[in-house]
Amino acid sequence: MVSPHGIKLAVYLISSYFGDLNAKVCECLLQRGTQSLAQIVRFTELSRENVRNCLLVLIHHNCVQAFAVQQEGAFGEAPKVITNYMALFDNIIHKLRFPKFLEIVSEVLGEKVGKEGGKEIGKECEEIFEGLLQHGRLSLNQIIDRFKQTSNQGDSSAEAARDNFSKLVNARFVERCPAPEPFLGPPAEEETAAKKQGAKSAKIVKQTIEQRALAAAAPMESMRFLVETDTWNEASVETTDKKTTVVTLGTKRKQDNLESNTELLATDENKVLWRANFEEFIRRLRHKACVANVKVRVNNDAAIVLAATLELSRHSETKVRIDNSVPQSINAIYDEVIKRDGGLGMDLERIRASLVELGCETPLMAIDETYSVDLKNIIEQARIEEVESIVLKRYGREAYRMFRLLSKADRLLETDKISDTTFVEKKDAVKILFKLWKDDYLEMKKVIARGARQSEFILWKINKQSLWEHVLDEMYHAALNLRLRITHEQEQEKEVCLQSSPINVLLLSIARYFVIFVYLLF
């Protein structure tokens, strides 16, 4: 479920990039959930054509996913197939991270080719990737056309574009687009098929219709990063130059460009479209944050071993499996560790000690000595530390000590226990605890003890799941305020520049004297 400030931030981003009409359609989908075209028209009170064009723009920029479902018809009527639309909140928020994604592309691909020419090749890959971020989805021919406009390599620009595009795909920074409109079968049929699989199917968590739609739309893993050789044909590039829409450098897909977006989406269905693989960037950023946290919290050796283990399992990590890294043998970990800065002098004993510090356990039935890092615990520790720093800055050191005590406790704690353990006066402790509870950082529970004398106890605890959601909503709120502040400052700067120009100064002076003259006359 998307938080309130998350919706406001996403709507503001869509409005900034694509205009108010697209923002209105996106807001409808975020607030009301998956909707059909008729429902969106009814709730937004826009014309059917405007809604259709807005959906085409949002789909093209990976902000909306369409999928078809079978709906029961009225009495005596056959079932109908209806297209529904769902907003992709994470992809919208990723627009804030585009500069960071470009920086990662430049660094990673620049390092792979070495020092000589690394920066130049990294820059060319960055230009191709920037086109995908700017235009959402592009075919290979459109990527080559755009690269020709920006580079000064002449006839070799097409070959350079292909090579750099291949580097992006091999690094998994670019992937094939999902199916535009996958069909989901009736739930009854899928439940029947699951029951036939046996008792193991009962352990499978039931997916929402949105999760099923994303799974059905995703390309097969064998095809996701496959660049077919026939797409490199020079003749095909020349013949399709006239048919495909040329993407102009620097063009922004606002509301006034709806026709061009419609043409791009209406091209041949068999054409392969490519987009940025946000999942790969988020994985890299998550791993980088985990390594930085371990380096500060544990030591440098553990950070090197963790980075090596995550690098070995990076292609096997999925959205479903992020709690633990894929088990790796000690020999594979050693080979990866010695390739890293500071890891050349580490032996197997130091690596094993670091793995133990990371909370790894060797499987009892394993033939080889393998280790799997508990990523879930590392991520949770990093989250707690971030929230503790927020509590320290916002509520003070005494609140920080009490919050830290509750974060480590595995049960409800009474007010007196918290006050005595953290050396805070009970009167002050009650005020701080109630303030944290009022701001949704703690949960409170009142317990009445019945006996000779009835007494009431107040117990406190931290619900980590609801706390993460609350803090994330606050971050969305802060990001929205920063964006609004930046926009306001830019508008103020424009006004100052306009007022400071000689012509505007002269016009303002004339207007001022005119007002004085009129005032003196009347």
Side-chain angles (χ1 to χ4, degrees), residues 3-18:
S3 64
H5 288 106
I7 292 177
K8 292 181 180 179
L9 177 60
V11 171
Y12 176 79
L13 292 173
I14 294 297
S15 177
S16 302
Y17 282 94
F18 311 117

Side-chain angles (χ1 to χ4, degrees), residues 139 176 180 228 230-231 265-274:
S139 66
R176 292 195 180 204
E228 296 179 357
D230 58 351
T231 58
L265 289 173
T267 51
D268 184 11
E269 294 180 354
N270 295 324
K271 182 185 295 183
V272 178
L273 295 178
W274 300 86

Side-chain angles (χ1 to χ4, degrees), residues 240-255:
T240 52
D241 277 344
K242 298 179 181 179
K243 296 179 183 179
T244 55
T245 305
V246 177
V247 181
T248 308
L249 174 64
T251 20
K252 285 194 175 181
R253 306 275 176 150
K254 295 274 188 177
Q255 183 63 27

Side-chain angles (χ1 to χ4, degrees), residues 396-409 413-430 432-433 436:
R397 185 161 294 279
E398 291 181 343
Y400 165 76
R401 292 205 303 269
M402 289 188 283
F403 184 87
R404 186 175 178 83
L405 173 65
L406 288 168
S407 68
K408 294 181 179 299
L413 295 181
E414 202 263 331
T415 306
D416 292 339
K417 175 69 174 177
I418 298 172
S419 175
D420 296 339
T421 307
T422 57
F423 303 103
V424 179
E425 291 291 334
K426 184 176 179 180
K427 184 179 178 181
D428 296 332
V430 171
I432 294 171
L433 288 170
L436 289 170

Side-chain angles (χ1 to χ4, degrees), residues 110-171:
E111 289 177 0
K112 281 189 175 182
V113 295
K115 296 181 179 179
E116 297 182 1
K119 291 184 178 179
E120 183 179 351
I121 293 178
K123 188 68 177 176
E124 292 177 352
C125 293
E126 185 180 343
E127 290 176 0
I128 293 176
F129 187 75
E130 185 178 4
L132 286 170
L133 293 180
Q134 185 178 5
H135 300 286
R137 303 181 178 192
L138 293 175
S139 66
L140 177 60
N141 296 330
Q142 290 169 338
I143 292 172
I144 293 175
D145 290 338
R146 187 180 183 279
F147 188 81
K148 287 179 179 178
Q149 296 176 15
T150 58
S151 65
N152 299 320
Q153 301 183 21
D155 296 336
S156 62
S157 60
E159 190 64 30
R162 296 187 189 110
D163 292 340
N164 291 321
F165 178 76
S166 180
K167 291 184 177 69
L168 287 168
V169 176
N170 291 335

Side-chain angles (χ1 to χ4, degrees), residues 367-466:
I367 299 175
D368 194 8
E369 185 181 358
T370 60
Y371 293 88
S372 177
V373 178
D374 186 2
L375 278 180
K376 183 179 180 180
N377 181 56
I378 295 174
I379 292 172
E380 185 171 319
Q381 290 294 329
R383 284 175 173 173
I384 290 174
E385 291 179 5
E386 288 294 328
V387 178
E388 286 175 352
S389 66
I390 294 174
V391 171
L392 176 62
K393 293 176 183 177
R394 186 177 297 180
Y395 303 100
R397 185 161 294 279
E398 291 181 343
Y400 165 76
R401 292 205 303 269
M402 289 188 283
F403 184 87
R404 186 175 178 83
L405 173 65
L406 288 168
S407 68
K408 294 181 179 299
D410 55 355
R411 58 186 177 87
L412 293 165
L413 295 181
E414 202 263 331
T415 306
D416 292 339
K417 175 69 174 177
I418 298 172
S419 175
D420 296 339
T421 307
T422 57
F423 303 103
V424 179
E425 291 291 334
K426 184 176 179 180
K427 184 179 178 181
D428 296 332
V430 171
K431 290 181 180 179
I432 294 171
L433 288 170
F434 270 98
K435 188 171 182 61
L436 289 170
W437 169 72
K438 185 179 178 181
D439 292 343
D440 296 327
Y441 279 81
L442 299 179
E443 286 190 358
M444 178 183 65
K445 186 177 181 181
K446 293 183 179 180
V447 178
I448 299 175
R450 302 185 184 278
R453 291 182 58 186
Q454 182 173 316
S455 56
E456 182 181 80
F457 297 94
I458 299 179
L459 305 178
W460 307 89
K461 74 169 184 176
I462 294 176
N463 186 334
K464 292 181 181 178
Q465 187 58 41
S466 62

